[in-house]
Amino acid sequence: MVKNVPEIFGCMVFNEEVMAERLPEEVYHSLRKSVEQGKEIDPSIADIVAGAMKDWAIEKGATHYTHWFQPLTGVTAEKHEAFLTPVGGGKVIMKFSGKALIKGEADASSFPSGGLRNTFEARGYTAWDPASYAFVKDGTLFIPTAFCSYTGDSLDTKTPLLRSMDALSNEGVRLMRLFGDTETKRINTTVGIEQEYFIIDKEMYEQRKDLIYTGRTLFGAPAPKGQEMEDHYYGELKTRIQEYMADLDEALWRMGVPAKTKHNEGAPAQHELAPVFSTTNMAIDQNMLIMAYMKKIAEQHGLVCLLHEKPYAGVAGSGKHNNWSIDTDTGKNLLKPGKTPMENKQFLLILAAVVKAVDEYQDLLRLSVAHPGNDHRLGGNEAPPAVISMFIGDDLQAIVDAIVSGTAYKDHARTKMNLGIPTVPTFTKDTTDRNRTSPFAFTGNKFEFRMPGSSQNMALPNIILNTIVAESFRQFCDVLEGAEDFSAAVEQLIKDTLTAHSRIIFNGNGYSEEWKKEAQRRGLLNLKTSVDAFKTFAAEKNIALFSRHGVMSETEIHSRVEILYENYAKLINIEAQAMVEMAARDILPAVNAYTAEVAAGAAAKTAVVPTADVSMETDLIETLSALVGKAYVTVKELKAADAAALKAEKGQATATAFAESVIPLMDALRRQVDEMETMTSSEFWPMPNYGDMMFRI
Ligand code: ADP
Ligand code: MG
């Protein structure tokens, strides 16, 4: 049990407090200024910062340091270097220079580059991101860094993220000046990421090749019970889970991750953790740590944490809710409507900017969450559909309606809640209800983007959010800077923008069939699969957007598209091969063995009593033999389709071949196998079933 949370919190992090204590005052202030204003670090202070970091890290038990980066694989990468430096006479000292802190060199050839680089041009660089804290983990000092190629093209997710934060800040500050704010120097986006996950017993996990190879079950008939009783969401935590969560919290607190909320989620064995929000790049680094620790701590409890979007068919999948807001460095939340939003023109203009951005760049938002795992989730149980829309709630809707139609707006006072129980105090109701079905919902002073998948790195969704809103701001500034009557121009701009883009606003049930039809009528995009979404990335308007704001060059975009196609093809290929292996070597032999035993039993029965009723045996043998035969054919077809897809010309052609000819056969094989599972003795079934995995923890 942790006794003193404030004492352990952040004890492994080189944070503000440690820096203030250990760095000479002028060095600390120079560093702070660079970070706060997004300016370059004065190189002369690097040696001093590095020395202080090293001394502190050694006290925390570190012997090594690593530049920690986020290549385009979706996971993090690290290469550990010892501090030790020989000084002759067989002796060593512990050394860490400013140069080594600022810049690292890494062999980039084994990381995806999407054709940006030939393998012989292997050099890559990692560069320190001083805006995210360094920390000590497992005896190593971790330094968050960006990663780029020898030619300066970014090979990671962090570089464009930092660039997008700058873009939003630049255009945002420009807008603030127009509203008479002369103090704000920097605008930041704040992000709070809710992380959903599943837990499974390690012994069961070990018996499922599909989980081991792909992170999800490729086969599995539904258990008698799913989530229909709605008894898991917010349910009482089982002891084993509660102990796991307590250790996880403690480990995260030590790393300075403010883990705050934890609870059971909708599906059996599904849970959620949310930290307190922070600046975007820090929030994303912390989310990567959260995922790493979720897995690591699970191992210590004989459990495995599944971060896949859809480990089990038929129950809810896991997402990652990206709560996003805009803050000034003077501490103002720009998405706060205030008590009288109708009069708050600055808020309404910023709301209009987001509405416009989401409508004009639906394709990019959809793209930012596109990967094979999420294809199983979007539109499934308790997940938003693939159509992007925005929820703003009744109060703001009434304001938008009044503005668009030019009619008077009647403010309804905030109501008090009275439950009719004298001892329960009354409280004020929130102005907006929650809408769980909207992919992009306004929740009081922030937007919650609910489409991202549980396994993904959150950089791309935030790169896109920041850049598209920066673009709205830019266009607004261009109009307003030339306006004669500023106030009238703002009102006109709000009205014009909301009128043009209100089709993206939808406050109803996003899970319903009617909405799909209505969305089509409104002309909203419905990019059903990842491959449909990938195609939109390099559209002319999107290249123009990213290059205008210096977030990604055309080359960088094309390389990312290549990687998306490549990853998609590789993942589906692994899934197809795992299915073939499991079916051919485990499942079909098991069903045959069971059928043979049933046949032997029937023969034994009739040998004793020739007239004995063996109708059950006969029927089972007939049905199972037919299914085994069909499944055997499907396995062969799947193998052939997989081989053909691999031979297709790279990129889009390969990904499309996997989507169109491999996935349908995987679905067919799964149906055949799941049917056999329901008829085969559990003694013979070669792996744990859905009920075992989800209910026996
Ligand atoms: P929910 O009720 O939606 O499940 P949670 O408490 O699980 O809410 O998560 C809400 C998340 O939103 C938390 O990470 C919280 O810190 C974050 N959040 C709150 N305010 C802001 C803000 N201004 N900017 C970004 N994130 C925020
Ligand atoms: Mg939550």
Side-chain angles (χ1 to χ4, degrees):
M1 267 303 188
V2 201
K3 288 210 180 68
N4 193 337
V5 179
E7 204 164 277
I8 63 155
F9 188 83
C11 67
M12 303 308 269
V13 185
F14 195 70
N15 57 20
E16 231 49 59
E17 196 189 341
V18 184
M19 284 189 251
E21 192 187 297
R22 295 191 171 232
L23 294 174
E25 210 175 313
E26 60 296 351
V27 172
Y28 174 66
H29 285 299
S30 161
L31 183 64
R32 265 299 4 111
K33 214 170 115 197
S34 306
V35 171
E36 272 160 17
Q37 300 177 8
K39 300 263 160 58
E40 202 179 319
I41 298 278
D42 172 2
S44 68
I45 69 166
D47 271 328
I48 303 168
V49 178
M53 262 189 192
K54 178 208 66 186
D55 292 342
W56 169 84
I58 290 173
E59 283 168 34
K60 296 287 170 192
T63 52
H64 290 68
Y65 73 90
T66 180
H67 275 196
W68 186 57
F69 56 102
Q70 299 173 23
L72 298 165
T73 49
V75 292
T76 55
E78 53 198 72
K79 176 186 161 206
H80 301 225
E81 301 271 354
F83 289 124
L84 73 83
T85 313
V87 284
K91 290 214 170 300
V92 297
I93 55 161
M94 298 298 254
K95 217 174 136 185
F96 185 45
S97 68
K99 229 172 90 197
L101 165 65
I102 290 183
K103 190 189 94 179
E105 208 197 305
D107 184 342
S109 58
S110 298
F111 292 103
S113 79
L116 259 185
R117 199 191 13 67
N118 292 313
T119 10
F120 60 87
E121 298 164 327
R123 214 190 277 275
Y125 294 113
T126 49
W128 176 36
D129 166 19
S132 191
Y133 297 138
F135 54 88
V136 170
K137 182 176 161 249
D138 305 326
T140 296
L141 169 66
F142 280 68
I143 299 154
T145 58
F147 178 49
C148 66
S149 73
Y150 186 63
T151 49
D153 295 307
S154 90
L155 292 175
D156 69 345
T157 56
K158 190 187 266 262
T159 308
L161 178 72
L162 295 174
R163 293 176 185 156
S164 75
M165 289 166 67
D166 279 346
L168 188 96
S169 181
N170 294 340
E171 300 299 339
V173 170
R174 215 181 134 198
L175 192 66
M176 287 300 98
R177 292 286 178 271
L178 290 170
F179 277 93
D181 169 347
T182 52
E183 282 175 11
T184 299
K185 291 200 184 62
R186 171 102 187 152
I187 284 185
N188 275 311
T189 47
T190 49
V191 168
I193 300 170
E194 300 165 57
Q195 175 74 49
E196 294 179 340
Y197 61 99
F198 278 86
I199 288 291
I200 178 174
D201 184 275
K202 188 155 195 283
E203 268 179 38
M204 294 203 199
Y205 171 87
E206 302 278 2
Q207 296 170 58
R208 294 284 314 205
K209 286 184 186 164
D210 43 6
L211 287 180
I212 292 172
Y213 292 128
T214 72
R216 75 178 180 105
T217 53
L218 299 168
F219 299 109
K225 181 178 171 183
Q227 64 188 72
E228 61 277 52
M229 299 302 292
E230 298 179 338
D231 53 357
H232 196 257
Y233 190 69
Y234 282 8
E236 192 182 352
L237 301 175
K238 289 184 182 167
T239 309
R240 211 171 157 196
I241 296 298
Q242 187 266 321
E243 286 169 0
Y244 161 70
M245 287 178 166
D247 283 357
L248 177 59
D249 278 341
E250 185 180 335
L252 290 171
W253 291 337
R254 282 181 192 281
M255 303 308 294
V257 179
K260 172 108 173 146
T261 309
K262 55 185 180 186
H263 59 82
N264 283 348
E265 254 303 324
Q270 190 189 28
H271 313 281
E272 180 187 297
L273 182 149
V276 177
F277 69 93
S278 53
T279 311
T280 313
N281 57 327
M282 185 107 87
I284 292 172
D285 287 354
Q286 292 190 341
N287 179 251
M288 298 310 280
L289 273 180
I290 289 174
M291 292 197 287
Y293 274 100
M294 280 180 164
K295 288 188 173 160
K296 188 180 155 120
I297 305 288
E299 292 267 338
Q300 295 167 3
H301 286 254
L303 302 167
V304 174
C305 169
L306 304 175
L307 290 170
H308 193 283
E309 283 71 23
K310 198 78 177 179
Y312 306 109
V315 295
S318 294
K320 186 128 74 179
H321 296 173
N322 191 76
N323 294 273
W324 178 93
S325 193
I326 319 174
D327 253 1
T328 64
D329 58 355
T330 53
K332 266 184 270 161
N333 179 341
L334 297 179
L335 287 178
K336 212 170 173 173
K339 288 217 165 67
T340 49
M342 187 62 182
E343 270 114 65
N344 187 347
K345 298 294 177 234
Q346 184 185 303
F347 167 76
L348 290 175
L349 188 70
I350 290 174
L351 175 72
V354 180
V355 170
K356 171 180 159 74
V358 173
D359 187 33
E360 284 178 347
Y361 296 100
Q362 297 164 44
D363 53 346
L364 285 180
L365 285 170
R366 170 68 183 91
L367 164 90
S368 77
V369 301
H371 55 277
N374 223 12
D375 278 355
H376 298 284
R377 172 178 165 260
L378 294 177
N381 276 309
E382 308 205 346
V387 182
I388 306 272
S389 67
M390 248 171 116
F391 167 88
I392 58 169
D394 294 343
D395 279 17
L396 286 182
Q397 187 63 52
I399 293 177
V400 169
D401 289 345
I403 293 173
V404 170
S405 63
T407 51
Y409 165 72
K410 240 183 67 224
D411 195 5
H412 23 251
R414 293 184 78 183
T415 39
K416 287 257 184 223
M417 269 296 209
N418 184 344
L419 297 179
I421 311 165
T423 49
V424 175
T426 55
F427 51 90
T428 326
K429 249 171 62 161
D430 288 298
T431 48
T432 49
D433 192 6
R434 285 163 177 263
N435 180 318
R436 285 269 163 215
T437 64
S438 175
F440 199 86
F442 184 70
T443 50
N445 61 359
K446 59 182 161 63
F447 281 98
E448 185 176 353
F449 185 31
R450 300 210 180 92
M451 286 171 103
S454 49
S455 70
Q456 77 182 90
N457 177 309
M458 288 306 289
L460 192 57
N462 285 294
I463 290 169
I464 285 167
L465 269 171
N466 294 344
T467 314
I468 64 181
V469 174
E471 174 61 12
S472 291
F473 284 177
R474 184 191 73 83
Q475 290 186 24
F476 285 3
C477 289
D478 282 355
V479 173
L480 297 174
E481 277 168 356
E484 271 174 29
D485 178 344
F486 176 70
S487 180
V490 167
E491 277 180 27
Q492 192 61 44
L493 193 53
I494 295 172
K495 181 172 180 170
D496 292 348
T497 309
L498 290 175
T499 309
H501 298 287
S502 63
R503 64 168 187 170
I504 198 74
I505 301 174
F506 175 64
N507 293 317
N509 178 5
Y511 294 167
S512 69
E513 271 311 306
E514 299 86 74
W515 166 236
K516 274 192 209 139
K517 288 193 202 110
E518 166 67 11
Q520 194 180 14
R521 202 189 53 75
R522 293 190 190 183
L524 300 181
L525 282 178
N526 185 0
L527 300 167
K528 291 203 181 73
T529 70
S530 291
V531 179
D532 297 336
F534 297 158
K535 290 177 196 158
T536 65
F537 201 169
E540 221 165 288
K541 78 175 207 325
N542 297 337
I543 292 178
L545 169 82
F546 290 118
S547 35
R548 171 174 292 127
H549 292 279
V551 172
M552 278 185 267
S553 67
E554 181 166 358
T555 324
E556 286 170 339
I557 293 173
H558 282 300
S559 85
R560 271 147 225 266
V561 176
E562 259 335 283
I563 293 169
L564 286 170
Y565 282 129
E566 240 174 57
N567 278 350
Y568 180 91
K570 283 182 190 163
L571 267 164
I572 306 291
N573 176 50
I574 293 171
E575 290 192 347
Q577 303 224 17
M579 277 189 122
V580 167
E581 147 113 17
M582 289 167 78
R585 303 190 56 198
D586 301 326
I587 297 168
L588 301 189
V591 176
N592 277 338
Y594 175 58
T595 323
E597 185 172 278
V598 174
K605 267 195 204 174
T606 45
V608 181
V609 183
T611 54
D613 180 357
V614 287
S615 57
M616 172 209 162
E617 288 88 338
T618 319
D619 187 59
L620 249 186
I621 293 165
E622 250 172 30
T623 317
L624 280 176
S625 305
L627 276 168
V628 162
K630 271 196 217 155
Y632 181 67
V633 174
T634 315
V635 167
K636 286 211 291 196
E637 287 170 352
L638 178 55
K639 260 181 162 166
D642 187 61
L646 285 175
K647 278 208 201 90
E649 214 177 307
K650 295 200 131 172
Q652 189 178 335
T654 316
T656 308
F658 275 105
E660 288 175 4
S661 57
V662 175
I663 289 180
L665 286 166
M666 288 167 59
D667 293 342
L669 182 59
R670 175 170 189 151
R671 276 193 302 274
Q672 291 156 352
V673 167
D674 289 357
E675 200 180 336
M676 290 191 274
E677 185 185 336
T678 63
M679 282 180 276
T680 304
S681 155
S682 44
E683 261 172 60
F684 280 77
W685 200 253
M687 62 196 97
N689 62 31
Y690 265 35
D692 296 336
M693 289 188 284
M694 283 192 271
F695 291 97
R696 294 204 183 177
I697 296 180

